[in-house]
Amino acid sequence: MILPIITYPNKQLKALSSEVTHFDERLHLFLDNMFETMISSNGIGLAAIQVANPIRALILCIPDEEGNQHKENLIEIINPVIHTPRGTVLYQEGCLSVPGFYEDVERYESLTLHYQNRHGETNILHATDLLAIAIQHEIDHLDGKLFIEKLSYNRRKKFEKEYKRALKEKK
Ligand code: Y12
Ligand code: CO
């Protein structure tokens, strides 16, 4: 089932998501729906709060060199914790909750992630490149933060003006 994606400035996106404690059929169905929703919107990452569920769950499906996404590359990440972040890198980010806008954001270059899978099993993942960036972007969603909050004062003001104009034009 394709779920509606909440977009900025909806205040639900500011919610602090709660730890997942039940790794049951309901969670599995929800994660399946998140995947369908993300792929149908051409996304590579989606956090549960973006579809109005404030739980600490996110999914990522990084495209291959040809830009194609494969379900076998899907990573379901529950209750993530970042360890040993290293270096910094600038990357132009986009977000399904801020449609039509891409901005350079500074992130850690690499990190180690401790998380649980859909069965509650603990996994450890070393991430670099786009995977490391997308993990940080999605974990920010779990903490109620959007990438636009990392922009400088002037870039944020410019974004607000352009976004408001785009929303008006859509109406
Ligand atoms: C850098 C950091 C984090 C990510 C992962 C999360 N972002 C996305 O998956 C963004 C997807 C996206 C897709 C769009 O295309 C459509 O909606 C059809 C899009 O375009 C518009 O909204 C017009 C914007 C964002 C990625 C990179
Ligand atoms: Co996002």
PDB file of all heavy atoms in Angstrom, residues 13-25:
ATOM      1  N   LEU A  13       6.493  16.580  11.322  1.00  0.00           N
ATOM      2  CA  LEU A  13       7.887  16.257  10.976  1.00  0.00           C
ATOM      3  C   LEU A  13       8.862  16.633  12.085  1.00  0.00           C
ATOM      4  O   LEU A  13      10.020  16.229  12.061  1.00  0.00           O
ATOM      5  CB  LEU A  13       8.284  16.954   9.665  1.00  0.00           C
ATOM      6  CG  LEU A  13       7.615  16.412   8.400  1.00  0.00           C
ATOM      7  CD1 LEU A  13       7.807  17.363   7.227  1.00  0.00           C
ATOM      8  CD2 LEU A  13       8.157  15.021   8.067  1.00  0.00           C
ATOM      9  N   LYS A  14       8.389  17.420  13.076  1.00  0.00           N
ATOM     10  CA  LYS A  14       9.247  17.825  14.202  1.00  0.00           C
ATOM     11  C   LYS A  14       9.208  16.829  15.358  1.00  0.00           C
ATOM     12  O   LYS A  14       9.916  16.976  16.350  1.00  0.00           O
ATOM     13  CB  LYS A  14       8.788  19.187  14.737  1.00  0.00           C
ATOM     14  CG  LYS A  14       9.130  20.349  13.821  1.00  0.00           C
ATOM     15  CD  LYS A  14       8.553  21.633  14.403  1.00  0.00           C
ATOM     16  CE  LYS A  14       9.050  22.855  13.675  1.00  0.00           C
ATOM     17  NZ  LYS A  14      10.448  23.184  13.916  1.00  0.00           N
ATOM     18  N   ALA A  15       8.370  15.797  15.239  1.00  0.00           N
ATOM     19  CA  ALA A  15       8.199  14.836  16.341  1.00  0.00           C
ATOM     20  C   ALA A  15       9.485  14.053  16.599  1.00  0.00           C
ATOM     21  O   ALA A  15      10.233  13.725  15.674  1.00  0.00           O
ATOM     22  CB  ALA A  15       7.072  13.864  16.005  1.00  0.00           C
ATOM     23  N   LEU A  16       9.731  13.763  17.891  1.00  0.00           N
ATOM     24  CA  LEU A  16      10.835  12.873  18.270  1.00  0.00           C
ATOM     25  C   LEU A  16      10.281  11.452  18.227  1.00  0.00           C
ATOM     26  O   LEU A  16       9.347  11.122  18.976  1.00  0.00           O
ATOM     27  CB  LEU A  16      11.327  13.233  19.682  1.00  0.00           C
ATOM     28  CG  LEU A  16      12.436  12.352  20.239  1.00  0.00           C
ATOM     29  CD1 LEU A  16      13.723  12.505  19.427  1.00  0.00           C
ATOM     30  CD2 LEU A  16      12.711  12.698  21.706  1.00  0.00           C
ATOM     31  N   SER A  17      10.801  10.623  17.353  1.00  0.00           N
ATOM     32  CA  SER A  17      10.266   9.265  17.189  1.00  0.00           C
ATOM     33  C   SER A  17      10.705   8.356  18.339  1.00  0.00           C
ATOM     34  O   SER A  17      11.790   8.522  18.905  1.00  0.00           O
ATOM     35  CB  SER A  17      10.719   8.689  15.844  1.00  0.00           C
ATOM     36  OG  SER A  17      10.125   9.424  14.800  1.00  0.00           O
ATOM     37  N   SER A  18       9.851   7.376  18.661  1.00  0.00           N
ATOM     38  CA  SER A  18      10.093   6.476  19.801  1.00  0.00           C
ATOM     39  C   SER A  18      10.741   5.160  19.362  1.00  0.00           C
ATOM     40  O   SER A  18      10.522   4.693  18.234  1.00  0.00           O
ATOM     41  CB  SER A  18       8.765   6.116  20.473  1.00  0.00           C
ATOM     42  OG  SER A  18       8.079   7.287  20.810  1.00  0.00           O
ATOM     43  N   GLU A  19      11.498   4.577  20.296  1.00  0.00           N
ATOM     44  CA  GLU A  19      12.139   3.269  20.072  1.00  0.00           C
ATOM     45  C   GLU A  19      11.099   2.229  19.655  1.00  0.00           C
ATOM     46  O   GLU A  19       9.972   2.232  20.187  1.00  0.00           O
ATOM     47  CB  GLU A  19      12.759   2.766  21.381  1.00  0.00           C
ATOM     48  CG  GLU A  19      13.922   3.579  21.893  1.00  0.00           C
ATOM     49  CD  GLU A  19      15.259   3.118  21.353  1.00  0.00           C
ATOM     50  OE1 GLU A  19      15.537   1.910  21.437  1.00  0.00           O
ATOM     51  OE2 GLU A  19      16.000   3.980  20.841  1.00  0.00           O
ATOM     52  N   VAL A  20      11.485   1.338  18.766  1.00  0.00           N
ATOM     53  CA  VAL A  20      10.622   0.216  18.389  1.00  0.00           C
ATOM     54  C   VAL A  20      10.870  -0.910  19.396  1.00  0.00           C
ATOM     55  O   VAL A  20      12.020  -1.250  19.686  1.00  0.00           O
ATOM     56  CB  VAL A  20      10.952  -0.254  16.955  1.00  0.00           C
ATOM     57  CG1 VAL A  20      10.168  -1.505  16.599  1.00  0.00           C
ATOM     58  CG2 VAL A  20      10.675   0.864  15.949  1.00  0.00           C
ATOM     59  N   THR A  21       9.784  -1.459  19.934  1.00  0.00           N
ATOM     60  CA  THR A  21       9.921  -2.548  20.929  1.00  0.00           C
ATOM     61  C   THR A  21       9.264  -3.843  20.457  1.00  0.00           C
ATOM     62  O   THR A  21       9.573  -4.911  20.970  1.00  0.00           O
ATOM     63  CB  THR A  21       9.313  -2.132  22.291  1.00  0.00           C
ATOM     64  OG1 THR A  21       7.985  -1.665  22.059  1.00  0.00           O
ATOM     65  CG2 THR A  21      10.126  -1.035  22.958  1.00  0.00           C
ATOM     66  N   HIS A  22       8.351  -3.741  19.489  1.00  0.00           N
ATOM     67  CA  HIS A  22       7.649  -4.938  19.003  1.00  0.00           C
ATOM     68  C   HIS A  22       8.023  -5.198  17.542  1.00  0.00           C
ATOM     69  O   HIS A  22       7.708  -4.382  16.672  1.00  0.00           O
ATOM     70  CB  HIS A  22       6.128  -4.768  19.134  1.00  0.00           C
ATOM     71  CG  HIS A  22       5.680  -4.720  20.560  1.00  0.00           C
ATOM     72  ND1 HIS A  22       5.650  -3.559  21.288  1.00  0.00           N
ATOM     73  CD2 HIS A  22       5.298  -5.706  21.393  1.00  0.00           C
ATOM     74  CE1 HIS A  22       5.241  -3.828  22.515  1.00  0.00           C
ATOM     75  NE2 HIS A  22       5.032  -5.118  22.612  1.00  0.00           N
ATOM     76  N   PHE A  23       8.683  -6.335  17.325  1.00  0.00           N
ATOM     77  CA  PHE A  23       9.142  -6.681  15.966  1.00  0.00           C
ATOM     78  C   PHE A  23       8.182  -7.725  15.391  1.00  0.00           C
ATOM     79  O   PHE A  23       8.537  -8.883  15.192  1.00  0.00           O
ATOM     80  CB  PHE A  23      10.591  -7.170  16.034  1.00  0.00           C
ATOM     81  CG  PHE A  23      11.531  -6.097  16.520  1.00  0.00           C
ATOM     82  CD1 PHE A  23      11.714  -5.842  17.872  1.00  0.00           C
ATOM     83  CD2 PHE A  23      12.198  -5.303  15.600  1.00  0.00           C
ATOM     84  CE1 PHE A  23      12.556  -4.825  18.308  1.00  0.00           C
ATOM     85  CE2 PHE A  23      13.055  -4.287  16.021  1.00  0.00           C
ATOM     86  CZ  PHE A  23      13.230  -4.050  17.383  1.00  0.00           C
ATOM     87  N   ASP A  24       6.950  -7.281  15.169  1.00  0.00           N
ATOM     88  CA  ASP A  24       5.880  -8.220  14.832  1.00  0.00           C
ATOM     89  C   ASP A  24       5.397  -8.028  13.381  1.00  0.00           C
ATOM     90  O   ASP A  24       5.941  -7.218  12.625  1.00  0.00           O
ATOM     91  CB  ASP A  24       4.716  -8.048  15.820  1.00  0.00           C
ATOM     92  CG  ASP A  24       4.278  -6.582  15.929  1.00  0.00           C
ATOM     93  OD1 ASP A  24       4.684  -5.763  15.065  1.00  0.00           O
ATOM     94  OD2 ASP A  24       3.529  -6.249  16.868  1.00  0.00           O
ATOM     95  N   GLU A  25       4.353  -8.767  13.038  1.00  0.00           N
ATOM     96  CA  GLU A  25       3.792  -8.735  11.689  1.00  0.00           C
ATOM     97  C   GLU A  25       3.349  -7.320  11.286  1.00  0.00           C
ATOM     98  O   GLU A  25       3.473  -6.926  10.130  1.00  0.00           O
ATOM     99  CB  GLU A  25       2.610  -9.723  11.635  1.00  0.00           C
ATOM    100  CG  GLU A  25       2.099 -10.051  10.255  1.00  0.00           C
ATOM    101  CD  GLU A  25       3.187 -10.529   9.285  1.00  0.00           C
ATOM    102  OE1 GLU A  25       4.036 -11.366   9.679  1.00  0.00           O
ATOM    103  OE2 GLU A  25       3.197 -10.028   8.144  1.00  0.00           O
TER     104      GLU A  25
END
